[in-house]
Amino acid sequence: MARAGVTKDRVAEEAEQLADEVGLESVTLAAVAGRLGIKLPSLYKHIDSLGGLRATVGERATRELTEVMVRATAGKAGPDAVSALAHALRDWARAHPGRYAATIAAPRVSAGAEPGQVQAAEDAVGLIFDVLAGFGLGGDDAVDATRGLRAVLHGFVALEAAGGFGMPADVDRSFDRLVASYIRSLPAY
Amino acid sequence: MARAGVTKDRVAEEAEQLADEVGLESVTLAAVAGRLGIKLPSLYKHIDSLGGLRATVGERATRELTEVMVRATAGKAGPDAVSALAHALRDWARAHPGRYAATIAAPRVSAGAEPGQVQAAEDAVGLIFDVLAGFGLGGDDAVDATRGLRAVLHGFVALEAAGGFGMPADVDRSFDRLVASYIRSLPAY
DNA sequence: TCCAAAAGCTATTGCCAATAGCTTTAAAGC
DNA sequence: GCTTTAAAGCTATTGGCAATAGCTTTTGGA
């Protein structure tokens, strides 16, 4: 009965949606199969393993996030571009928490990472690098600044997602000020 | 045969060591029990559940990290204190990756968090708050600056632990510059 | 010395990932 | 239009794990 019409992409899409709903760690193959209307073992006609599916989700999510940031920074430069990239990343991460988590867990280059995954991660970092290029940074300075921005953005988003910030004060404002503060520091790199 | 001499603290210690060795997510009750020389079901005489054990590890790790940061900042103030706190946190996180991960996953105040866990998390944040107090910050400014420092530190440490930084450039230097950059931005808060 | 609570055990259940091997569908070739 | 075959589904099974039930043994205090 080969008629459920399941494809690798549909499996990945369902896994992504589920990850956003219940958390990346709580995605089970049984639940993904159930959503697709097939039984768990049938999934193995489309994936290698749970780990492989997670890696696929990570790569797709990384490409999606990169695309979102590219659009957000199009036609902008300097502080405007950095600010737009920062807010685009946070907005997307809040809308897609499971996908976002997959982008961080993904680039395990140490283990046997697929070329596509590595490329996707490099493209994402490359975009940040390019956006910072307008500040006249070169060599190690640019590397340090890129790492700094990635740290600032991931740290804030991850703590926010983990419920690490108490209710009271305005979290949006805290983010705005952190990003603005980072941008002001760029000429010093 | 009540003679293995297992206590709640010993269970937590073994879970912590295992978390540092294989990762927090890969800690199984079977492995913890094996290390203690007892069978898995016997563990339930000392813990409530796997989730409860993870919460206990998180609380203990938060207290340990706070203590490390307190010692590192003792007798220091201003930029020196912030820098010492930052480096103490990163050093401890690199030495104890599983424990560190537990400190972030822990403070799920939204769900039913134990009072002890909430207190431990508040103490840790309180220390950062106090260290930043020397910069003349008050009210929301202090909250924003505290969130900013937490984001910077967690982001860098988490990306580093995930293998997010490619091999080449000196990671220590990137961290030093990010922390210095943050400290320079403090008067502007 | 006794006895009751603490701490261990075996057995069992249910969920999950993964594999083996069978069946059915559907498309491609004739 | 018929046949063949690969793809895509299925059931059955295994092994690991968390969790619970219920029994046994130890051991410290009355």
Side-chain angles (χ1 to χ4, degrees), chain A residues 25 104 107-108 140-141 143-144 147-148 150-152 154-156 158-159 162-171 173-174 177-178 181-182 184-185 188-189, chain B residues 25 104 107-108 140-141 143-144 147-148 150-152 154-156 158-159 162-171 173-174 177-178 181-182 184-185 188-189:
Chain A
E25 307 302 322
I104 301 300
R108 303 186 157 282
D140 288 347
D141 288 347
V143 171
D144 289 342
R147 288 175 174 171
R150 290 178 62 203
V152 163
H154 173 58
F156 198 95
L159 289 177
F165 299 143
M167 343 264 120
D170 188 337
V171 178
R173 193 173 50 86
S174 296
R177 297 185 69 180
L178 179 59
S181 185
Y182 170 83
R184 271 196 304 274
S185 81
Y189 265 99
Chain B
E25 307 302 321
I104 301 299
R108 302 187 158 282
D140 287 346
D141 288 347
V143 171
D144 289 340
R147 288 175 174 172
R150 289 177 62 203
V152 164
H154 172 59
F156 197 95
L159 289 178
F165 300 142
M167 345 262 119
D170 189 336
V171 178
R173 193 173 51 87
S174 296
R177 296 185 71 180
L178 179 61
S181 184
Y182 169 83
R184 271 196 303 274
S185 81
Y189 265 97

Side-chain angles (χ1 to χ4, degrees), chain A residues 13-64:
Chain A
E13 285 167 15
E14 221 62 50
E16 285 166 356
Q17 289 180 19
L18 194 56
D20 285 339
E21 292 170 16
V22 304
L24 183 63
E25 307 302 322
S26 301
V27 171
T28 67
L29 294 184
V32 172
R35 288 200 172 207
L36 292 166
I38 62 177
K39 297 300 175 65
L40 191 152
S42 306
L43 264 187
Y44 284 87
K45 290 287 155 77
H46 309 284
I47 64 172
D48 287 341
S49 66
L50 175 60
L53 176 58
R54 288 213 183 104
T56 299
V57 169
E59 180 179 337
R60 287 169 52 101
T62 300
R63 291 189 196 286
E64 193 176 333

Side-chain angles (χ1 to χ4, degrees), chain A residues 65-92:
Chain A
L65 173 56
T66 302
E67 179 59 27
V68 165
M69 293 190 299
V70 164
R71 277 200 294 268
T73 56
K76 295 194 175 78
D80 283 353
V82 176
S83 179
L85 182 145
H87 285 87
L89 184 146
R90 175 166 174 248
D91 289 346
W92 186 84

Side-chain angles (χ1 to χ4, degrees), chain A residues 96-150:
Chain A
H96 305 290
R99 288 168 163 88
Y100 178 75
T103 68
I104 301 300
R108 303 186 157 282
V109 189
S110 54
E114 296 289 324
Q117 299 169 35
V118 175
Q119 187 60 50
E122 285 176 358
D123 287 350
V125 176
L127 172 64
I128 297 180
F129 199 89
D130 290 347
V131 165
L132 293 179
F135 287 85
L137 302 175
D140 288 347
D141 288 347
V143 171
D144 289 342
T146 299
R147 288 175 174 171
L149 181 53
R150 290 178 62 203

Side-chain angles (χ1 to χ4, degrees), chain B residues 29 38-50:
Chain B
L29 295 184
I38 63 178
K39 296 300 175 66
L40 190 153
S42 306
L43 262 188
Y44 285 86
K45 291 289 155 78
H46 308 285
I47 65 172
D48 288 341
S49 65
L50 175 60

